[in-house]
Amino acid sequence: MSEVNHKYRIAIDAMGGDNAPAVEIEGAIQAASKVRAELILVGDEAKIKSEFLKHRKIPDNIKVVHASEVIEMHEPPAQSIRRKKNSSINIAVNLVKDKHADAVISAGNTGAVVCATTLFLGPLNGVERPGIMVTMPTLKGPVALIDAGANIDPKPEHLLNYAIMAGVYMKYIFKRPNPSIGLLNVGEEEYKGTDFIKEAFKLMEQAKINFSGNVEGRDIFAGKCDVIVCDGFVGNVVLKVSEGVADALKKMFKQKLSSSPLAMLGAILSRGALVSLKKDMDYAEYGGALLLGINGICIISHGGSSAKAIKNAIRVAYESLENNVNQHIIEEMSKQENIARG
Amino acid sequence: MSEVNHKYRIAIDAMGGDNAPAVEIEGAIQAASKVRAELILVGDEAKIKSEFLKHRKIPDNIKVVHASEVIEMHEPPAQSIRRKKNSSINIAVNLVKDKHADAVISAGNTGAVVCATTLFLGPLNGVERPGIMVTMPTLKGPVALIDAGANIDPKPEHLLNYAIMAGVYMKYIFKRPNPSIGLLNVGEEEYKGTDFIKEAFKLMEQAKINFSGNVEGRDIFAGKCDVIVCDGFVGNVVLKVSEGVADALKKMFKQKLSSSPLAMLGAILSRGALVSLKKDMDYAEYGGALLLGINGICIISHGGSSAKAIKNAIRVAYESLENNVNQHIIEEMSKQENIARG
């Protein structure tokens, strides 16, 4: 295999999430032919190799790096990172630190991934705090929500960091020329919100961004802005509430349908629309969340990720590398600083 | 008409919301025969009387009280309450203060209603801060979310107030014998959350309530608890995000359906299920939010309320009066205090 096919190296925590390592391996196999990258599965070598036997052929650009420990989903992040030095998360992140990989993907303990990357890779030049960015489906295409939970008690300056970073992502990945930024608040009026939000509002108004002012919860899915900024507590709740509503609606609809044969026939006929809608709303399609602002590309996938979600996480990591997202963030941050100094 | 039919008097701000006074009048007419209460429409008498002409007959238990001013939706609450003494909100709330009414309903400026009731009616005995409670549809029937925005910067003690008050409501109105209380957080583990949340967790653990611990955003619509407690900033965002997701899904589904004739036929056949689902998810069915903890019954309806929503708000006010919700809250608060002292 020529070096041309190995433009990047992407480390995948093979032990993270509810369905590890099966979905990580399946996802990597699905992605292998689609990216010019080496895919490094990090985890229990024996388990991974035994899972390999279920597949006809393992592509040449998939490698394995052994990790003897696993950080479980509910372990306290900082502690477990310190104690389990041989965990798949630690080893995968350190592959990036030691320049053996360009990106890391994990569907494991989100807090542990944030801790490990912050500790071992550090922030990008000019960034004070990394933030978790998720893209959400809306009537006008995907929008970015940041922070979905990296920092539940940030300072107003951090929200400006988030706005700039997610703006860069939307510009270079989703090709929105001048991404609009909304601050999530309880009302549109400038006088609304906590002191924290009012301070963030002022900073954003003064920054060199396309600031649209305050937006409300219902504006997110209307696609009113390209980027929605909030603290990590609120963002985490928003993400999980959205999943919860969509899921509950789906189940309720199914329940209703099964209550009448005519309705069931109708459901079969309109199945195409339902499947297509499901795809639009499917977080797996979007491949997970990006931890923006660290010195390396880091994708945090949902704990319940499917193989497709892992495949898409690999695509998102690859696109971020191909489009130099981090370099653009550094440049944008330095522009903002020059203005602050000027 | 005999006094028996006028067990209570309910003041309705006829000038609040996007469709006033038409929906308030229509809603009052729809409710008039269903409640043993006098319904007092408060607002511009000329406008109300002219709207009356559109109806064949105005029931005897509907009255009008004139108010010459209106507080608009986007006016700063505290200021407008002070300046517009003759606003429909001020006058409707003062009807309760002066014992000319037992409950007040408004689809107008939420902040102004919270301000006016807090200022003129004051808190119930033992309550430090009122909270806005909404009931949300879930797979297991309605759950209560509190606070949906009365106080965006509360203290941990206020969250315990909310828990107790909404618990009383779920017990006496929805007949849940021992309502379970969940604290909205970014994870289930006790170590998760901000210092504020951890402090609220401790207070709830020690209180005489059926505390289920932390719950996540996705648990709300799964119906995991009877009551979900959070600060007013988060609650407001949750409420609006839920509306936004449901609305976006509906629009996306319609879009998909109209793209194929077969799918459209299917949609017609499964229409019954869709309509029934829509009813389950329809906030109008639930009649709006209760401001719990003030000395009087206060219902805050959605700005976009339909006549049906107003009708249901009247029903909710009536049920709260019939079931002595406020008396039960006072008793429950005093039990908690006795424990704290004991």
Side-chain angles (χ1 to χ4, degrees):
Chain A
M1 206 173 199
S2 78
E3 262 308 295
V4 177
N5 286 322
H6 294 178
K7 196 169 175 188
Y8 307 109
R9 288 156 307 171
I10 300 172
I12 301 152
D13 168 14
M15 312 309 283
D18 307 332
N19 310 304
V23 294
E24 279 78 4
I25 292 166
E26 172 74 32
I29 292 172
Q30 286 179 17
S33 64
K34 295 186 174 63
V35 292
R36 288 161 61 199
E38 192 172 82
L39 305 178
I40 309 167
L41 292 163
V42 182
D44 186 313
E45 196 164 9
K47 277 192 188 158
I48 294 172
K49 291 268 160 92
S50 124
E51 190 70 28
F52 274 178
L53 298 175
K54 295 180 189 164
H55 296 273
R56 209 162 42 88
K57 190 185 176 322
I58 303 302
D60 289 339
N61 56 334
I62 292 185
K63 301 276 173 261
V64 178
V65 166
H66 180 62
S68 59
E69 292 176 296
V70 175
I71 295 174
E72 302 297 338
M73 292 305 259
H74 296 297
E75 287 188 71
Q79 243 173 292
S80 52
I81 286 299
R82 272 195 308 273
R83 279 200 323 226
K84 294 189 169 173
K85 300 232 184 290
N86 294 315
S87 67
S88 55
I89 289 176
N90 280 42
I91 291 181
V93 171
N94 275 302
L95 285 177
V96 178
K97 185 192 169 199
D98 300 334
K99 311 282 179 210
H100 298 309
D102 308 290
V104 56
I105 294 169
S106 177
N109 185 317
T110 299
V113 177
V114 173
C115 260
T117 49
T118 306
L119 202 65
F120 303 139
L121 308 181
L124 280 177
N125 266 342
V127 175
E128 273 187 69
R129 278 292 183 112
I132 296 177
M133 189 202 80
V134 290
T135 48
M136 303 182 102
T138 80
L139 294 167
K140 295 178 183 166
V143 302
L145 177 83
I146 186 166
D147 169 37
N151 184 3
I152 57 171
D153 205 6
K155 294 184 182 148
E157 306 86 272
H158 301 151
L159 265 60
L160 178 55
N161 275 203
Y162 303 157
I164 296 164
M165 296 190 295
V168 166
Y169 189 86
M170 292 310 277
K171 184 172 172 183
Y172 291 97
I173 301 290
F174 285 99
K175 315 299 178 196
R176 312 259 168 102
N178 188 24
S180 56
I181 314 283
L183 178 62
L184 190 56
N185 200 344
V186 294
E188 287 181 2
E189 302 86 353
E190 211 176 312
Y191 67 81
K192 290 251 173 125
T194 55
D195 290 343
F196 164 78
I197 287 288
K198 287 179 193 162
E199 186 60 35
F201 187 101
K202 262 189 232 162
L203 290 174
M204 291 198 191
E205 217 178 18
Q206 288 156 8
K208 206 195 155 204
I209 56 174
N210 180 12
F211 184 47
S212 304
N214 292 323
V215 294
E216 294 183 75
R218 67 171 72 92
D219 300 326
I220 302 176
F221 290 90
K224 201 172 173 184
C225 290
D226 297 304
V227 174
I228 310 281
V229 176
C230 59
D231 73 54
F233 190 97
V234 170
N236 188 273
V237 170
V238 166
L239 181 62
K240 288 171 181 169
V241 164
S242 312
E243 288 180 8
V245 176
D247 201 49
L249 276 170
K250 216 167 61 189
K251 283 181 187 156
M252 283 177 178
F253 188 56
K254 266 193 186 164
Q255 237 172 40
K256 298 286 177 195
L257 282 178
S258 62
S259 64
S260 131
L262 208 61
M264 275 187 78
L265 174 64
I268 292 164
L269 293 176
S270 53
R271 202 173 163 272
L274 275 170
V275 168
S276 163
L277 177 66
K278 197 166 167 277
K279 199 178 160 185
D280 277 5
M281 288 304 294
D282 188 356
Y283 289 89
E285 291 287 332
Y286 294 86
L290 277 105
L291 181 63
L292 289 179
I294 52 141
N295 201 3
I297 294 296
C298 173
I299 314 287
I300 297 175
S301 293
H302 199 290
S305 282
S306 60
K308 184 170 77 172
I310 300 294
K311 181 192 78 178
N312 281 317
I314 294 169
R315 176 182 54 75
V316 170
Y318 187 76
E319 284 173 357
S320 301
L321 291 166
E322 278 282 276
N323 290 283
N324 295 308
V325 164
N326 278 355
Q327 193 49 44
H328 288 302
I329 289 176
I330 293 170
E331 281 163 20
E332 198 57 43
M333 285 293 174
S334 110
K335 272 187 214 165
Q336 299 280 346
E337 279 174 18
N338 289 340
I339 293 159
R341 279 193 210 106
Chain B
M1 203 173 202
S2 80
E3 260 310 291
V4 176
N5 287 321
H6 293 177
K7 194 168 175 190
Y8 307 109
R9 288 154 308 171
I10 299 172
I12 300 152
D13 167 15
M15 311 309 282
D18 306 332
N19 310 306
V23 293
E24 279 79 2
I25 292 166
E26 171 75 34
I29 292 171
Q30 287 178 17
S33 62
K34 295 184 175 64
V35 291
R36 287 164 58 201
E38 190 172 85
L39 305 177
I40 309 166
L41 292 164
V42 182
D44 185 314
E45 195 164 8
K47 278 191 187 160
I48 294 172
K49 292 268 162 90
S50 125
E51 190 70 29
F52 275 177
L53 298 176
K54 295 179 187 165
H55 297 272
R56 210 161 42 91
K57 188 183 177 323
I58 303 302
D60 289 338
N61 56 335
I62 292 184
K63 300 275 173 264
V64 178
V65 166
H66 180 63
S68 61
E69 291 174 296
V70 176
I71 295 175
E72 303 297 338
M73 292 303 257
H74 296 297
E75 285 187 76
Q79 240 173 297
S80 52
I81 286 299
R82 274 195 307 272
R83 278 199 324 223
K84 293 187 169 175
K85 300 230 184 293
N86 294 315
S87 67
S88 54
I89 289 176
N90 280 43
I91 290 178
V93 172
N94 275 302
L95 285 177
V96 178
K97 186 192 169 197
D98 300 334
K99 312 280 180 212
H100 298 310
D102 308 288
V104 56
I105 294 170
S106 177
N109 185 319
T110 299
V113 177
V114 174
C115 259
T117 49
T118 307
L119 200 66
F120 303 138
L121 309 181
L124 280 177
N125 266 343
V127 175
E128 271 187 72
R129 278 292 183 114
I132 296 177
M133 190 203 79
V134 290
T135 48
M136 301 180 102
T138 80
L139 293 167
K140 296 177 184 167
V143 303
L145 177 83
I146 186 169
D147 168 36
N151 184 3
I152 56 171
D153 205 6
K155 292 181 183 152
E157 305 87 272
H158 301 151
L159 265 60
L160 177 56
N161 274 202
Y162 303 156
I164 296 163
M165 297 191 295
V168 166
Y169 189 86
M170 291 312 277
K171 184 173 172 182
Y172 290 96
I173 301 291
F174 285 100
K175 313 300 177 197
R176 313 261 167 102
N178 188 22
S180 57
I181 315 281
L183 178 62
L184 190 57
N185 200 344
V186 294
E188 286 180 3
E189 302 85 351
E190 210 175 315
Y191 67 82
K192 291 251 173 128
T194 54
D195 292 342
F196 164 78
I197 288 289
K198 287 177 193 165
E199 187 59 36
F201 188 101
K202 263 189 233 161
L203 291 173
M204 290 197 192
E205 217 177 17
Q206 289 157 8
K208 206 193 156 206
I209 56 174
N210 180 13
F211 184 47
S212 304
N214 291 323
V215 295
E216 295 184 75
R218 67 172 73 90
D219 300 325
I220 303 175
F221 290 90
K224 201 172 173 180
C225 290
D226 297 305
V227 175
I228 309 280
V229 176
C230 58
D231 72 55
F233 191 96
V234 169
N236 188 272
V237 169
V238 166
L239 181 64
K240 288 173 181 167
V241 164
S242 312
E243 288 179 6
V245 177
D247 201 50
L249 275 170
K250 216 168 59 187
K251 282 182 187 157
M252 283 177 178
F253 189 58
K254 266 194 186 164
Q255 238 172 40
K256 298 284 178 196
L257 282 177
S258 62
S259 63
S260 129
L262 210 61
M264 275 187 77
L265 175 62
I268 292 163
L269 292 176
S270 54
R271 202 173 163 273
L274 275 170
V275 168
S276 165
L277 177 67
K278 197 168 167 277
K279 198 176 162 185
D280 276 6
M281 288 304 293
D282 188 355
Y283 290 89
E285 289 289 331
Y286 294 86
L290 275 107
L291 181 63
L292 289 179
I294 53 145
N295 200 3
I297 295 294
C298 172
I299 314 285
I300 297 176
S301 293
H302 198 291
S305 282
S306 60
K308 185 172 75 173
I310 298 295
K311 181 192 76 180
N312 281 316
I314 294 168
R315 175 182 52 75
V316 171
Y318 187 75
E319 285 172 357
S320 301
L321 291 165
E322 277 284 277
N323 290 283
N324 294 311
V325 165
N326 278 354
Q327 193 50 43
H328 289 300
I329 289 176
I330 292 170
E331 282 163 18
E332 198 56 44
M333 284 292 173
S334 111
K335 274 187 213 163
Q336 298 280 346
E337 278 174 20
N338 289 340
I339 293 160
R341 278 191 213 108

